[in-house]
Amino acid sequence: MSGTYLGMPSFPRAAAAATRDGTLRGNLRHATHTIRDKRARAVAELADWPRLRAAAAAIKERTLRHLDHYLVQTEAAVTAAGGTVHWAADAAEANRIVTRLVRATGETEVLKVKSMTTQEIGLNEALGRAGITACETDLAELIVQLGEDRPSHILVPAIHRNRAEIRDIFRARMADWGRPAPDGLGDNPTELAEAARLHLREKFLRAKVAISGANFMVAETGTLVVVESEGNGRMCLTLPETLISVVGIEKVVPTWRDLGVFLQLLPRSSTAERMNPYTSMWTGTAETAETAETAETAETAAEARAAAEARAAAEARPGARAGTRTGTETRAEAGARAGGADGPRAFHLVLLDNGRTDTLADTVGRQALRCIRCSACLNVCPVYERAGGHAYGSPYPGPIGAILTPQLRGTESELDASLPFASSLCGACYEVCPVAIDIPEVLVHLRERVAEGGIVTRGGKKAVIRPARGHAAERAAMRAARWTLDHPAALRTAQRIASRTRRLHPRRLPGPGRAWTGTRALPEVPPESFRDWWARTRGQGSPE
Amino acid sequence: MSDRDTVLGRVRRALADVPREERPEDVPVTGGRPDGARAPDAAADLLARNLADYRALVHRVSPARLPVLVAGLLAARGARTLLVPEGLPERWPAAAAAAGVRLCPDDPRATPVELDAVDSVLTGCAVAVAETGTVVLDGGPGQGRRRITLVPDHHICVVRVPGQVVDSVPSALERLDPTRPLTWISGPSATSDIELDRVEGVHGPRTLEVVLLEG
Amino acid sequence: MRVALFVTCVNDTLFPRTGRAVVRLLERLGVEVDFPPAQTCCGQPQYNSGYRHQAEPLVRRHAAAFDGYDHVVTPSASCAAMVRDNHPRIGARAAAEGRGRALADAAAASLPRTYELTEFLVDVLGVTDVGAYYPHTVTYHPTCHGLRVLGLGDRPRRLLEHVGGLVLRELEGAEECCGFGGTFAVRNAAVSAAMGADKARRIRATGAGAVCMVDNSCLMHIGGTLARLGSPVRPVHIAEILASTEEDVR
């Protein structure tokens, strides 16, 4: 298994291979069923879940319809709080920015908090080419990195590995990256987690630069939020001197209050917990003891917010930003002087587009940008359970990946064009989605883009795409079927021919029909259609 | 053209279907959640239950008995050093100190390696959320910098009941100041990355003890 | 009450006995049934495969064929879901593409009058005991569109529970898709077959002699899988169970 998405086979081929891998299917089945049952119980605890879900969908809808406004507001608030905001239209630009920022620190090793956004842009590989080693710190991501593997699940990236496989990877590879696996390491999860703790702790304690994503960023306050379980996030977000967060532009939520809705929905949908063990929130750069004391005098959060807004407004004025940089001391500098910094002294936020605005331009597909990456849709998806995450060929597997990837990357490649069809449209994903993304609706919409072509937005520009070549025979068949179905007399003739020749129908079909008859018997064609029975017994005239 | 202009330009073109005069507040947001109205006792009970459910060790004591409890918890682990943030009531660790535990003030110059050598940390909190079993630290008095409750392997966190207990996440946000660095803690560090088997204690403190200070 | 039977193209061509059972059942309950011969297909195969424009004439035809009826009843949850959920959507998209509101208006008119069979029995006729007799052990598989798009809930079960002689067996993982999914069954045949095999295994584990559902397309997939595995479990549409009476057994 190589760590790249290039040249991946299309979904049906990769999925077919996965269905033949008994170990993989066992691992996936156990994991998805365990978590789906737990999620149902966690959700049932909140009586007004449907209202929360509706609120979340509405807040995301508001955000997306006014995304420019909220991005500018986020930028102003983060800048006012001492952070630096960068914009990246695509993966290449984001990688250039991050590489430049890391180089400026003089470091050649950086720590990473689990981030699908940086996987999407291939950041680790880009840093590697610049001579910078990026070490993953989430346990599952560590397993994936050491195994030179790819993640296969949003929440549990190493879901396809069982404990014995993980022990073997740790024994074989940990030494290449730092502290080796303890002698005689067993395969019990507690032992394996302890091995990861020891291996990573020495990295955490001396790290100078960390790279993260974010679950949410609050436009009103400039606050970033990372939700996690292990504490590797807290380590990366608080110990290093420089923190770089690469965040998709769709991660913004308007207000501090709005955040409450998502903090209730995400953990229950994701890990099936009331709340995940650790959530970190930070606004700009490290706050000093002094400023913390000042904030203490603010009576309410509302007052503090007002103060933050006033600062943001002041900073947003033309020329004001330069003034803050050179004229007055930033809070980080003040913190450093006071020696009481709580967290990184430098904070960089990289706002990433990379296909998100193209997705936004599609009024049906836009709802995919509501996604909060909880992975509930993966855990209930019968197709994901059998196909595994790798078949989806991107960091975004499962139903959400099937609608997100073809929008972020386009449908030019065979793999990306096959993703919208990787679903039986059973609707289980829509049912559990905490932000009510109608995934089946978007799947069908994207099937149309592949089958019929049409106008899309790519790289910010309108383009006309042609129908996919692989669908030509199907297109002709659909057209013929549609004509027959629009002419009941022709339909009746076809039915009669089928009935008359029923004894001659083969039990197994050749060509594409073999895909059905390989595992399923064909239904027998009856001697008489319903239509004919009705006409014969009810004595009504022939149709049209 | 800068990437900023490129991205914002693309966003605006992508939203051509949104009427020019529409303001963000015009997009209706319905739902949300009315805040719970649990009696203070019920909220504290729920907090204790939910914390314990995620493997935090929960203790409920009166202020008079707190110092003895803290000393006992430290003694039980054989802890010899205790990190104490600025602004922590002096009484809280007093009995432990008297029993020979060395108190280490949170020194901003301390390196992570030095913090790693400390056995335990004692803090207060800003607010606790009953419905989720969460304590939130905001760096205020008695809470210290984020790293002090992260690197040591044993964290004792004191919650004042009922004053610091709220029902739900939205009410916690109402009380918190977003400009401060905030850490929400719900049980000890944990992972379910291996076969979805939950293992408590990865990188954060492997033992979280929450003391509900009542009366 | 003017009730039209929307038999669906799959039932018309491959499972006419289901259509005949609906007619028999409804007439037994005192309902006058009509079969508008202009009906063909709701356009679901086209729409779900990405040929929305090919589905449009079928949406138009469907609305015209059933114009003027008080109730349209269909023994297919999937086709009812198509009419209720996707016909208005197809109409709205046509309007958004500047092709007028005619399709949207036509779709909107047929939407509230379309009922899946068990919905019609329970909600409109207000019956759960239809006087049926079916002396067999049966397990019930709720099909996805009935379960999640129409929200049929326990209506089919309540009807089955009142069938004389019928013993209902619980199906493990009942709410999981059988893997049919229209062209999915062919395009992603390996995954579809794996899902079908798991469903068949659970159906056999119930020990029931028959498996029943509200959709013949899923039944064709599950039944085909069971047959290929050499299983004696009979796939049967719920209409055929509800239409059976003691006379049929004698």
Side-chain angles (χ1 to χ4, degrees):
Chain A
M1 189 63 70
S2 91
T4 169
Y5 297 114
L6 292 173
M8 289 273 302
S10 79
F11 184 86
R13 284 197 296 281
T19 60
R20 291 189 293 268
D21 182 340
T23 310
L24 175 66
R25 276 188 67 183
N27 293 355
L28 281 171
R29 194 189 144 68
H30 167 72
T32 55
H33 282 258
T34 304
I35 197 154
R36 100 172 48 154
D37 297 344
K38 280 172 69 183
R39 187 210 75 98
R41 287 195 294 276
V43 164
E45 270 187 19
L46 292 187
D48 51 357
W49 187 261
R51 289 186 56 194
L52 262 178
R53 182 177 185 249
I59 291 167
K60 283 284 183 182
E61 198 59 20
R62 173 183 284 182
T63 313
L64 291 173
R65 287 176 75 87
H66 297 276
L67 190 58
D68 51 339
H69 165 77
Y70 290 118
L71 288 173
V72 170
Q73 196 184 8
T74 304
E75 179 189 42
V78 170
T79 308
T84 308
V85 177
H86 311 260
W87 299 71
D90 55 25
E93 179 60 15
N95 288 334
R96 269 195 297 274
I97 293 168
V98 177
T99 305
R100 196 182 68 228
L101 291 171
V102 176
R103 278 203 171 134
T105 66
E107 293 295 311
T108 55
E109 183 176 291
V110 297
L111 295 192
K112 282 189 68 205
V113 189
K114 175 174 172 291
S115 146
M116 276 169 287
T117 307
T118 60
Q119 279 159 16
E120 175 193 321
I121 63 175
L123 179 63
N124 290 9
E125 295 75 15
L127 288 173
R129 287 191 292 274
I132 298 160
T133 308
C135 303
E136 295 290 347
T137 63
D138 172 78
L139 176 53
E141 292 292 349
L142 176 71
I143 295 164
V144 167
Q145 186 169 49
L146 296 181
E148 292 179 15
D149 197 353
R150 279 176 293 108
S152 70
H153 190 280
I154 286 177
L155 170 71
V156 206
I159 198 169
H160 56 289
R161 298 288 197 188
N162 63 29
R163 60 187 71 194
E165 293 174 290
I166 295 167
R167 176 203 57 205
D168 294 345
I169 291 169
F170 278 9
R171 280 182 176 176
R173 300 303 313 278
M174 260 186 178
D176 300 341
W177 288 79
R179 181 172 173 151
D183 288 338
L185 177 67
D187 66 0
N188 151 349
T190 309
E191 249 181 284
L192 294 169
E194 171 71 13
R197 177 185 171 97
L198 293 171
H199 177 78
L200 287 172
R201 183 151 282 237
E202 59 168 39
K203 291 186 189 291
F204 287 135
L205 299 185
R206 60 180 163 77
K208 295 282 184 285
V209 184
I211 296 172
S212 83
N215 295 93
F216 306 102
M217 47 187 182
V218 183
E220 175 186 44
T221 59
T223 307
L224 275 89
V225 182
V226 164
V227 166
E228 51 131 357
S229 297
E230 295 170 10
N232 63 308
R234 291 182 67 193
M235 290 278 182
C236 291
L237 300 171
T238 56
L239 295 183
E241 289 165 8
T242 301
L243 173 62
I244 304 165
S245 299
V246 183
V247 184
I249 53 174
E250 82 284 15
K251 293 291 181 72
V252 64
V253 298
T255 68
W256 181 243
R257 192 194 164 99
D258 291 335
L259 192 56
V261 172
F262 296 98
L263 287 179
Q264 292 176 88
L265 288 167
L266 179 56
R268 289 181 202 257
S269 299
S270 175
T271 52
E273 292 167 306
R274 295 182 193 97
M275 187 60 88
N276 48 289
Y278 297 134
T279 298
S280 297
M281 302 180 182
W282 73 98
T283 305
T285 47
E287 198 149 358
T288 65
E290 286 90 329
T291 51
E293 291 306 322
T294 320
E296 182 79 347
T297 59
E299 286 289 310
T300 63
E303 264 180 52
R305 270 206 300 282
E309 273 163 23
R311 268 207 311 279
E315 298 280 341
R317 279 198 306 275
R321 231 176 280 160
T324 348
R325 285 285 155 66
T326 53
T328 62
E329 197 175 42
T330 66
R331 285 192 293 160
E333 285 155 357
R337 186 178 49 78
D342 183 1
R345 291 179 195 171
F347 170 57
H348 296 273
L349 171 62
V350 182
L351 293 173
L352 178 74
D353 178 352
N354 204 37
R356 285 160 178 75
T357 53
D358 293 344
T359 309
L360 188 69
D362 186 317
T363 53
V364 178
R366 178 182 294 167
Q367 55 184 312
L369 297 176
R370 288 185 206 154
C371 176
I372 55 173
R373 312 282 189 264
C374 71
S375 73
C377 63
L378 278 65
N379 298 326
V380 296
C381 179
V383 177
Y384 173 86
E385 182 188 328
R386 275 116 190 143
H390 291 149
Y392 294 82
S394 94
Y396 307 112
I400 187 63
I403 63 168
L404 202 52
T405 307
Q407 297 201 83
L408 294 178
R409 295 201 300 221
T411 51
E412 287 80 24
S413 79
E414 195 196 348
L415 169 68
D416 293 343
S418 73
L419 289 175
F421 299 89
S423 166
S424 63
L425 303 179
C426 81
C429 48
Y430 178 32
E431 188 176 51
V432 297
C433 178
V435 289
I437 301 170
D438 191 340
I439 294 177
E441 182 193 13
V442 182
L443 284 167
V444 169
H445 175 68
L446 295 173
R447 289 176 182 189
E448 180 183 327
R449 183 179 291 181
V450 173
E452 292 195 327
I455 299 170
V456 297
T457 309
R458 299 302 306 148
K461 293 187 181 63
K462 295 265 184 247
V464 178
I465 56 165
R466 300 172 56 77
R469 253 174 299 161
H471 291 248
E474 182 190 76
R475 200 156 43 242
M478 282 294 171
R479 207 166 286 149
R482 195 272 293 157
W483 185 86
T484 310
L485 292 167
D486 207 13
H487 295 80
L491 173 63
R492 199 167 66 160
T493 305
Q495 286 170 337
R496 284 180 177 167
I497 292 170
S499 292
R500 264 183 228 129
T501 58
R502 55 199 283 260
R503 300 281 168 233
L504 307 172
H505 295 172
R507 309 308 299 152
R508 286 178 191 264
L509 296 175
R514 198 187 302 139
W516 177 275
T517 56
T519 53
R520 290 153 290 204
L522 280 172
E524 274 182 48
V525 175
E528 183 181 49
S529 70
F530 179 84
R531 190 175 295 273
D532 277 351
W533 172 81
W534 180 271
R536 181 168 58 79
T537 57
R538 306 290 158 137
Q540 293 191 357
S542 60
E544 299 196 343
Chain B
M1 191 154 68
S2 72
D3 274 47
R4 181 184 193 274
D5 295 341
T6 303
V7 174
L8 286 173
R10 285 179 183 176
V11 170
R12 284 167 189 145
R13 282 197 302 281
L15 295 170
D17 61 303
V18 176
R20 200 167 277 277
E21 65 280 6
E22 182 182 294
R23 293 161 305 159
E25 342 36 296
D26 295 338
V27 184
V29 172
T30 51
R33 280 187 81 213
D35 204 6
R38 284 185 189 88
D41 278 359
D45 289 348
L46 184 62
L47 173 65
R49 259 203 320 280
N50 284 341
L51 276 164
D53 197 27
Y54 288 145
R55 307 285 192 277
L57 306 174
V58 181
H59 313 275
R60 305 178 74 155
V61 291
S62 64
R65 290 193 33 81
L66 177 67
V68 175
L69 174 76
V70 169
L73 298 178
L74 295 172
R77 290 178 58 90
R80 304 168 63 91
T81 47
L82 178 69
L83 200 61
V84 285
E86 206 173 312
L88 192 80
E90 277 175 26
R91 257 174 33 77
W92 290 4
V101 173
R102 185 161 63 82
L103 302 188
C104 317
D106 173 20
D107 181 351
R109 285 159 307 188
T111 65
V113 175
E114 286 161 349
L115 278 180
D116 197 27
V118 180
D119 293 325
S120 303
V121 57
L122 175 64
T123 71
C125 71
V127 67
V129 189
E131 206 167 78
T132 57
T134 305
V135 293
V136 188
L137 277 65
D138 73 354
Q143 297 166 63
R145 296 174 304 150
R146 285 175 285 175
R147 61 184 60 188
I148 69 162
T149 55
L150 173 64
V151 180
D153 204 17
H154 177 219
H155 178 197
I156 304 172
C157 181
V158 180
V159 181
R160 294 177 197 272
V161 177
Q164 289 184 317
V165 182
V166 297
D167 239 24
S168 66
V169 170
S171 5
L173 286 171
E174 280 299 311
R175 288 215 196 173
L176 292 165
D177 173 359
T179 64
R180 292 181 161 225
L182 301 173
T183 305
W184 299 53
I185 300 172
S186 311
S189 136
T191 184
S192 300
D193 277 350
I194 302 165
E195 296 180 18
L196 284 172
D197 245 8
R198 190 179 162 103
V199 176
E200 269 91 27
V202 194
H203 305 298
R206 284 179 284 192
T207 309
L208 172 69
E209 308 211 49
V210 179
V211 181
L212 304 185
L213 196 60
E214 295 174 296
Chain C
M1 190 176 356
R2 282 194 82 209
V3 173
L5 170 63
F6 165 35
V7 77
T8 82
C9 59
V10 166
N11 290 328
D12 182 14
T13 308
L14 293 173
F15 303 98
R17 62 173 188 272
T18 299
R20 294 200 298 268
V22 176
V23 173
R24 197 174 152 211
L25 168 66
L26 292 180
E27 288 182 347
R28 192 172 78 217
L29 295 169
V31 177
E32 197 184 317
V33 183
D34 197 6
F35 176 76
Q39 65 175 288
T40 56
C41 170
C42 61
Q44 180 166 212
Q46 287 75 13
Y47 179 72
N48 280 357
S49 305
Y51 302 93
R52 175 169 55 91
H53 294 101
Q54 298 285 333
E56 284 182 3
L58 301 175
V59 173
R60 201 173 296 122
R61 160 170 293 281
H62 183 90
F66 292 98
D67 188 36
Y69 289 94
D70 301 321
H71 302 284
V72 179
V73 179
T74 180
S76 164
S78 191
C79 301
M82 176 69 191
V83 172
R84 292 226 297 249
D85 230 40
N86 291 329
H87 281 195
R89 200 171 262 161
I90 292 167
R93 293 278 288 160
E97 288 167 3
R99 290 184 286 119
R101 297 234 16 114
L103 196 61
D105 293 342
S110 64
L111 175 154
R113 296 177 288 113
T114 302
Y115 294 88
E116 182 277 331
L117 175 66
T118 66
E119 273 181 327
F120 181 75
L121 294 172
V122 176
D123 298 357
V124 179
L125 299 185
V127 290
T128 47
D129 185 346
V130 295
Y133 182 73
Y134 193 79
H136 301 283
T137 319
V138 175
T139 190
Y140 170 67
H141 165 63
T143 60
C144 299
H145 293 170
L147 184 71
R148 302 195 182 88
V149 183
L150 297 182
L152 292 184
D154 65 353
R155 290 179 186 85
R157 289 188 62 101
R158 280 158 65 199
L159 288 159
L160 289 171
E161 280 162 6
H162 285 91
V163 173
L166 187 146
V167 178
L168 195 58
R169 290 272 167 83
E170 287 305 321
L171 176 63
E172 190 206 329
E175 300 194 347
E176 192 173 301
C177 178
C178 69
F180 173 61
T183 52
F184 173 79
V186 175
R187 193 184 290 275
N188 278 287
V191 176
S192 170
M195 289 163 68
D198 287 345
K199 181 62 75 180
R201 184 175 43 75
R202 286 161 164 181
I203 288 169
R204 294 169 81 168
T206 64
V211 55
C212 131
M213 39 206 110
V214 291
D215 249 307
N216 271 332
S217 43
C218 308
L219 194 115
M220 181 169 75
H221 170 73
I222 294 176
T225 305
L226 286 165
R228 195 41 58 82
L229 295 169
S231 162
V233 182
R234 270 189 327 285
V236 54
H237 192 284
I238 193 168
E240 293 162 42
I241 293 179
L242 298 178
S244 301
T245 58
E246 291 203 51
E247 288 86 83
D248 298 322
V249 182
R250 271 192 233 116

